[in-house]
Amino acid sequence: MPVVAVIGAGQLARMMQTEAIEVGQSIRLLAGATDSSAAQVAADVIIGDYTDLEDLRRAVDGADAVTFDHEHVPTEHLRTLISEGVNVQPGPDALVNAQDKLVMRKRLREIGAPVPPFAAIESVEDAEAFFDAVDGAVCLKARRGGYDGHGVWFPKDRGEVGALVAKLLEAGTPLMAEKKVTLVRELSAMVARTPSGEVAPWPVVESVQTDGICTEAVAPAPGLSEQLAQRARQLAVTIAEELGVTGVLAVELFEFEDANGQADIAVNELAMRPHNTGHWTQDGCVTSQFEQHLRAVLDYPLGSVDTTAPVTVMANVLGGDTDPAEPMGRRMAQVWQRFPQAKIHLYGKTHRPGRKIGHVNLSGDDVEQTRIDARAAAHYLVHGRWA
Amino acid sequence: MPVVAVIGAGQLARMMQTEAIEVGQSIRLLAGATDSSAAQVAADVIIGDYTDLEDLRRAVDGADAVTFDHEHVPTEHLRTLISEGVNVQPGPDALVNAQDKLVMRKRLREIGAPVPPFAAIESVEDAEAFFDAVDGAVCLKARRGGYDGHGVWFPKDRGEVGALVAKLLEAGTPLMAEKKVTLVRELSAMVARTPSGEVAPWPVVESVQTDGICTEAVAPAPGLSEQLAQRARQLAVTIAEELGVTGVLAVELFEFEDANGQADIAVNELAMRPHNTGHWTQDGCVTSQFEQHLRAVLDYPLGSVDTTAPVTVMANVLGGDTDPAEPMGRRMAQVWQRFPQAKIHLYGKTHRPGRKIGHVNLSGDDVEQTRIDARAAAHYLVHGRWA
Ligand SMILES: Nc1ncnc2c1ncn2[C@@H]1O[C@H](COP(=O)(O)OP(=O)(O)OP(=O)(O)O)[C@@H](O)[C@H]1O
Ligand SMILES: Nc1ncnc2c1ncn2[C@@H]1O[C@H](COP(=O)(O)OP(=O)(O)OP(=O)(O)O)[C@@H](O)[C@H]1O
């Protein structure tokens, strides 16, 4: 049976591992530490550094495909591996669009995908000019390395823009600016694509961000017109095809009102791997994003993306300010007592404020009730008390 | 988080492992060999012999609960472990009923559960007397150690009964006899029970046995009257309660016509662990039998047993006479190509004729079509060609 080498050993690799076991595949992990989320539960683990070519070589040796649980492997190493005959999925030409927010936006503009107005920022003057152009509605972003809202700023006036940009450029942070959009809400359109070109888009979900961190996803997105949903799915497919993405692609979207008050969408971010907004597929869909990712990178036919319930809500379990005295096992028991249908997923991570340590999936018939219940379940797991 | 020690490392332990990972639990395995189905994919494996008390002690050290993927651990060892403070679920008093077919039937008769007429067989005379009592409709069974129809015989006449019994007794095989029932079909009623006494019965399934091996399960059992389904579920609950079973209990049932031509049921066999006829729950039910078993033995509240599809069919993948030239990975691709909704589960086992190496779960709306498709998928995985 094929071996898939996964670079990175966080919760995404961990959840790939469970799916790999079920379909009889093998996963080899390149992990930074033996106690990382996926390394705890995997049988075939290489400890090493994903920025080190020799460590990468050890991890991918003999693997049928190499894939990732994050986008931070240096492009030049991936090119070297490919020149040595390694099957890297997705490849570096696709991945660069998930690594660099400016490169991505330029590429999306080229292929006609909707993005908010943006500009490269290489000086305070660039930033001030963009500030004027968008009437002060500026969102400043580090081009690389941002996550969970780190690396995103909303300066309030021209003076703050100048000071912030001066400071960041001095610190060596490559920057871009984007027009601040008046959001109706955020959506996520996910799709899997194989090297042979098969594509399978999932239903579009609503994603709720709190302080830049995804806290909730509702599938399918409530109240989204079939027309806009269809456009979002098609957009994800087009991006996957045009950028040559293989495996799972998440297209994070802004929903906003256009000048005529009509709902419209624009792309915010791409992730080329399973994504937080796809966790619901584990319990709400015939094929989960983790199984689909493995199938896609191995160029197997893709699985059905039919839903198994009218609505599925995913609520993240983020470490609270303090870790409750009640052990997690007892907290789970409380949640299961109240919600026998709650599917709890935990990542084997220790508590740290704001850290993603797990999620709850809950399926139901009624969107609002399911949201309320999923939030309540996640809240209990975080705080050890009901909201 | 709690650690569950699982004695045995076959496919049942393997599938417990994937569920354990998802809920953030840890599993420790006592495996006979590093390449056994579950040991291949687990991080915490003790190699040892489940009949050796010292090996058992090593495996259960520090575990919050101890459970099994088979029923063959010697009762005296379990009693010793319990006297040393180990939390064994299910306990030896329950387990003996899954170890010895005669003990089980006596116990079931005591609690008023329906079983076909039976007798202890300690001599050829016992067997001949039973033969006469049931008008020659005899099924002879080894009391212990049978599986997949090994240890079950249907002697055709009085002479064959005598010769077979003489031979088996001489070989030291403890025997019992049971009236051969004219089956309408076989059913399976599964339930989970916690040490605190919570019970959750699954929908009753139809199970198809071919040459004594389970080859197919259809959930819920097609055409079963709600009244009989209710009786079967209640029977499973009663047996679990009366025998003090914890974890998952499978009650294998005969469906037959009574003297008035009415459908009736009797118990054939008990298994106190996840069971082949419960594999469908992985993809057709909110809570799989593997997650439920772990929750039950840890005395957590049980999960919802709601189905996620009108019908789910499980078809076993049993090694064929020869292993096809086409590698399993390519066979899976063929199956997925034709059935994007097929959920393939493989156990990491090498080919051997008749060996259980995996199963396919398929959900659908139409019982007959889903059966045909699930069989076709399993057939391809076995033979590398369509039926
Ligand atoms: N142009 C914009 N207009 C309005 N809000 C924005 C804009 N860009 C980002 N945001 C807000 O900031 C949040 C974080 O931004 P972004 O997704 O770019 O950051 P990130 O750190 O890459 O996050 P993630 O880890 O979710 O990919 C978004 O979810 C959105 O709520
Ligand atoms: N009394 C009986 N009357 C008719 N058929 C029987 C009877 N007992 C057993 N059988 C048939 O033989 C098969 C195997 O019997 P049994 O389940 O007792 O064996 P086993 O080896 O313990 O199987 P398993 O591994 O499924 O528990 C049954 O599934 C059934 O088809």
Side-chain angles (χ1 to χ4, degrees):
Chain A
M1 297 293 286
V3 174
V4 177
V6 180
I7 310 305
Q11 63 263 30
L12 301 178
R14 181 181 173 110
M15 293 184 274
M16 285 184 216
Q17 164 74 356
T18 60
E19 298 286 7
I21 294 174
E22 283 305 321
V23 292
Q25 312 287 319
S26 279
I27 274 192
R28 162 113 36 82
L29 292 178
L30 179 62
T34 50
D35 66 350
S36 60
S37 179
Q40 287 169 29
V41 298
D44 188 3
V45 181
I46 308 263
I47 301 297
D49 177 351
Y50 60 80
T51 65
D52 182 293
L53 183 58
E54 275 317 309
D55 287 353
L56 287 168
R57 282 197 179 111
R58 281 194 299 137
V60 307
D61 184 43
D64 297 87
V66 178
T67 192
F68 310 93
D69 109 326
H70 59 69
E71 290 103 350
H72 308 310
V73 181
T75 302
E76 62 274 20
H77 290 350
L78 296 180
R79 293 205 197 284
T80 305
L81 294 177
I82 290 169
S83 74
E84 292 167 358
V86 177
N87 176 24
V88 177
Q89 304 292 346
D93 293 334
L95 269 177
V96 67
N97 295 287
Q99 292 170 325
D100 186 314
K101 290 183 198 280
L102 182 62
V103 169
M104 180 266 274
R105 280 167 175 76
K106 286 183 175 163
R107 187 84 180 90
L108 291 190
R109 190 167 54 189
E110 259 171 47
I111 67 170
V115 286
F118 67 92
I121 302 294
E122 288 173 356
S123 64
V124 170
E125 292 69 46
D126 287 350
E128 288 173 345
F130 188 78
F131 181 91
D132 295 338
V134 296
D135 292 326
V138 170
C139 175
L140 200 66
K141 298 187 174 185
R143 286 173 55 181
R144 290 179 163 266
Y147 68 97
D148 289 347
H150 300 287
V152 176
W153 301 270
F154 297 96
K156 271 179 269 323
D157 54 45
R158 213 164 186 275
E160 199 182 323
V161 170
L164 188 59
V165 166
K167 199 184 78 184
L168 288 165
L169 288 178
E170 195 169 289
T173 311
L175 290 178
M176 57 153 289
E178 181 175 65
K179 183 173 178 176
K180 187 179 168 194
V181 174
T182 306
L183 299 183
V184 173
R185 58 176 170 177
E186 298 186 55
L187 302 172
S188 173
M190 294 188 62
V191 61
R193 182 169 173 273
T194 66
S196 300
E198 188 188 353
V199 289
W202 277 280
V204 176
V205 310
E206 174 176 332
S207 87
V208 179
Q209 311 277 327
T210 314
D211 301 329
I213 303 184
C214 172
T215 50
E216 197 175 305
V218 184
L224 187 68
S225 72
E226 182 41 38
Q227 191 202 348
L228 206 56
Q230 176 54 26
R231 258 181 60 206
R233 278 196 302 270
Q234 185 51 53
L235 179 59
V237 169
T238 303
I239 293 172
E241 290 174 341
E242 293 288 337
L243 273 53
V245 180
T246 52
V248 167
L249 167 71
V251 181
E252 295 184 69
L253 295 164
F254 297 134
E255 184 182 336
F256 62 94
E257 286 189 358
D258 70 10
N260 306 319
Q262 294 296 307
D264 201 356
I265 51 174
V267 177
N268 172 33
E269 187 65 324
L270 304 182
M272 296 182 190
R273 48 167 172 78
H275 188 255
N276 202 160
T277 58
H279 289 354
W280 70 276
T281 58
Q282 294 177 301
D283 300 299
C285 199
V286 171
T287 310
S288 83
Q289 63 169 347
F290 302 103
E291 177 179 341
Q292 198 79 304
H293 187 72
L294 290 171
R295 286 162 71 154
V297 301
L298 285 167
D299 209 14
Y300 282 131
L302 297 176
S304 160
V305 290
D306 287 350
T307 56
T308 54
V311 58
T312 301
V313 176
M314 187 286 314
N316 267 349
V317 180
L318 303 173
D321 290 338
T322 57
D323 199 24
E326 187 178 38
M328 183 54 95
R330 297 322 306 164
R331 281 178 260 165
M332 291 169 75
Q334 291 295 327
V335 168
W336 278 330
Q337 185 73 47
R338 179 153 159 195
F339 303 112
Q341 75 282 30
K343 305 298 295 179
I344 299 176
H345 301 264
L346 293 179
Y347 312 151
K349 290 179 166 181
T350 53
H351 175 267
R352 201 190 296 157
R355 190 182 206 191
K356 290 178 180 171
I357 57 175
H359 66 274
V360 179
N361 287 332
L362 208 84
S363 293
D365 297 314
D366 180 77
V367 177
E368 279 319 309
Q369 192 58 50
T370 309
R371 276 182 111 132
I372 289 167
D373 292 350
R375 276 182 204 168
H379 186 278
Y380 196 97
L381 293 176
V382 173
H383 300 289
R385 56 182 164 73
W386 299 110
Chain B
M1 295 294 286
V3 174
V4 177
V6 180
I7 310 304
Q11 65 262 29
L12 301 179
R14 181 181 172 108
M15 292 184 276
M16 285 184 218
Q17 164 73 357
T18 60
E19 298 285 8
I21 294 173
E22 283 304 323
V23 292
Q25 311 289 318
S26 278
I27 274 192
R28 162 112 37 80
L29 292 177
L30 179 62
T34 50
D35 66 349
S36 60
S37 178
Q40 287 169 30
V41 298
D44 189 3
V45 181
I46 308 262
I47 302 298
D49 177 352
Y50 61 82
T51 66
D52 183 292
L53 184 57
E54 276 316 309
D55 287 353
L56 287 168
R57 283 198 178 111
R58 281 194 299 137
V60 308
D61 184 43
D64 296 87
V66 178
T67 193
F68 311 93
D69 109 326
H70 59 69
E71 289 103 351
H72 308 311
V73 179
T75 302
E76 63 274 20
H77 289 350
L78 296 181
R79 293 204 197 284
T80 305
L81 294 178
I82 290 169
S83 74
E84 293 168 357
V86 177
N87 176 25
V88 177
Q89 304 291 347
D93 293 334
L95 269 176
V96 68
N97 296 287
Q99 292 170 327
D100 186 313
K101 291 183 199 280
L102 183 61
V103 169
M104 181 266 277
R105 281 168 175 75
K106 287 183 175 164
R107 187 83 180 91
L108 290 189
R109 190 166 54 187
E110 261 171 44
I111 66 170
V115 287
F118 67 92
I121 301 295
E122 288 173 357
S123 65
V124 170
E125 292 69 46
D126 286 351
E128 287 172 346
F130 189 80
F131 181 91
D132 295 339
V134 296
D135 293 326
V138 171
C139 174
L140 199 66
K141 298 186 174 185
R143 286 174 54 182
R144 289 179 162 267
Y147 69 95
D148 289 348
H150 300 286
V152 177
W153 302 270
F154 297 95
K156 272 180 266 329
D157 53 46
R158 216 164 183 276
E160 201 182 322
V161 170
L164 189 59
V165 166
K167 199 184 77 184
L168 287 165
L169 288 178
E170 195 166 289
T173 311
L175 290 177
M176 57 152 289
E178 179 176 66
K179 182 173 179 178
K180 187 179 167 192
V181 175
T182 306
L183 299 183
V184 174
R185 60 176 169 175
E186 298 185 56
L187 302 172
S188 173
M190 295 187 63
V191 62
R193 182 170 173 273
T194 67
S196 300
E198 188 188 354
V199 289
W202 277 278
V204 176
V205 310
E206 174 177 331
S207 87
V208 179
Q209 311 278 327
T210 314
D211 302 329
I213 303 185
C214 172
T215 49
E216 197 174 303
V218 184
L224 188 67
S225 72
E226 182 41 37
Q227 192 203 348
L228 206 57
Q230 176 53 27
R231 258 180 59 206
R233 277 195 303 270
Q234 185 51 53
L235 179 60
V237 169
T238 302
I239 293 173
E241 288 174 342
E242 293 288 338
L243 273 52
V245 181
T246 51
V248 167
L249 167 71
V251 181
E252 295 184 68
L253 295 165
F254 297 135
E255 184 181 336
F256 62 95
E257 286 189 0
D258 70 11
N260 305 318
Q262 293 296 307
D264 201 355
I265 51 174
V267 176
N268 171 34
E269 186 67 321
L270 304 182
M272 296 182 191
R273 48 168 171 79
H275 189 254
N276 202 159
T277 58
H279 289 355
W280 70 277
T281 57
Q282 294 177 301
D283 300 299
C285 200
V286 171
T287 311
S288 84
Q289 63 169 346
F290 302 103
E291 178 179 341
Q292 198 79 305
H293 187 71
L294 291 172
R295 285 162 71 153
V297 301
L298 286 168
D299 208 15
Y300 282 131
L302 297 176
S304 160
V305 290
D306 288 350
T307 55
T308 54
V311 58
T312 300
V313 177
M314 185 285 318
N316 266 350
V317 180
L318 303 172
D321 291 339
T322 56
D323 198 25
E326 186 178 38
M328 183 55 94
R330 298 321 306 162
R331 283 179 257 163
M332 292 169 77
Q334 292 295 327
V335 168
W336 278 329
Q337 185 73 47
R338 180 153 159 195
F339 303 111
Q341 75 282 31
K343 303 300 294 180
I344 299 176
H345 300 265
L346 294 179
Y347 311 150
K349 291 179 164 181
T350 53
H351 175 267
R352 201 189 296 156
R355 189 182 208 193
K356 290 178 179 170
I357 56 174
H359 65 274
V360 179
N361 287 334
L362 208 83
S363 293
D365 297 315
D366 180 78
V367 177
E368 279 320 308
Q369 192 57 49
T370 310
R371 275 182 110 132
I372 290 167
D373 292 350
R375 275 181 203 167
H379 186 280
Y380 196 98
L381 292 176
V382 173
H383 300 288
R385 53 182 166 73
W386 298 109

